[in-house]
Amino acid sequence: MQWTTKIPLIAILRGIRPQEVNQHISVLLDAGFDAIEIPLNSPDWQKSIQLAVDTFGGRALLGAGTVLHPEQVDALHSLGSKLVVTPNTSQEVIRRAVKLGMTVCAGCATATEAFNALEAGAQALKIFPSSAFGPDYIKALKAVLPADVPVFAVGGVTPENLSVYLRAGCAGAGLGSDLYRAGQTPEITLQQANAFIKAYKDATQ
């Protein structure tokens, strides 16, 4: 399996509002991000995702996080969303999204959950919360997973510790509050985004 974007960092815009979408995604793309999720517990997420897809769909892998139900997958597909990120291992959600041609990054914590997600067709896995498990746990889990499965660390990843997770075998990371907090300015988003992109490039070049 191959992650489908150039930079395997997923920007998580939890809590973003429709009127903020264009500015924040624009600066993320300028910084080098090309995978962005808007969690479904954000206000008016349908409008935000539709705006994102309409404006930036040709430049990035766009979609949703905190996807819990197959009906949400259908709604996302109708909006043109290409990315589904789950907090858990719902095989029904994963299968529906894969059937619709979407990229799925499934949340898991244990080897059992990871293999259940892969059996359902997930193309990538996210270990959440990574800060609670730590890089040593992820390294041990990676040892039993197929080598080509992209694993993302999510939860507590910062520009300072990103390289530790990459050395543990992660392909990349999902970045939440250390990249974007609801209500912050696009200037702060750009500053944080640049820090993460630099950290990733420093660790992989």
Side-chain angles (χ1 to χ4, degrees):
M1 300 178 200
Q2 192 76 30
W3 182 245
T4 58
T5 70
K6 292 179 182 177
I7 300 289
L9 299 175
I10 303 172
I12 303 169
L13 301 181
R14 188 178 304 280
I16 198 165
R17 298 177 183 277
Q19 62 268 29
E20 301 165 321
V21 163
N22 283 359
Q23 280 186 303
H24 287 274
I25 292 182
S26 182
V27 299
L28 286 167
L29 297 184
D30 288 346
F33 277 80
D34 54 3
I36 297 166
E37 67 159 276
I38 295 175
L40 297 191
N41 54 3
S42 303
D44 208 359
W45 60 264
Q46 295 97 329
K47 188 173 181 181
S48 290
I49 290 174
Q50 187 71 75
L51 280 168
V53 169
D54 288 349
T55 309
F56 304 104
R59 298 175 58 194
L61 179 65
L62 300 171
T66 320
V67 181
L68 298 170
H69 306 292
E71 297 78 17
Q72 293 172 330
V73 176
D74 294 338
L76 290 166
H77 184 257
S78 71
L79 295 172
S81 172
K82 302 291 187 185
L83 174 64
V84 168
V85 182
T86 70
N88 59 358
T89 309
S90 168
Q91 292 194 322
E92 194 177 7
V93 166
I94 295 167
R95 288 195 177 102
R96 181 76 63 89
V98 170
K99 185 177 180 180
L100 292 172
M102 303 164 88
T103 297
V104 180
C105 185
C108 61
T110 66
T112 297
E113 292 171 347
F115 280 105
N116 284 342
L118 294 176
E119 182 184 349
Q123 300 97 332
L125 302 172
K126 80 171 197 184
I127 309 301
F128 177 83
S130 292
S131 57
F133 291 104
D136 288 343
Y137 177 85
I138 294 174
K139 185 176 182 179
L141 184 61
K142 278 281 296 177
V144 299
L145 294 174
D148 62 342
V149 174
V151 171
F152 287 74
V154 181
V157 180
T158 67
E160 292 73 29
N161 67 21
L162 175 61
S163 63
V164 177
Y165 288 100
L166 296 176
R167 287 198 299 272
C170 291
L175 309 171
S177 59
D178 285 287
L179 173 66
Y180 172 83
R181 293 176 187 267
Q184 78 182 28
T185 65
E187 290 77 17
I188 293 176
T189 300
L190 178 59
Q191 180 181 337
Q192 300 290 82
N194 284 333
F196 273 110
I197 292 293
K198 182 180 186 302
Y200 177 78
K201 289 182 176 179
D202 287 349
T204 56
Q205 289 178 350

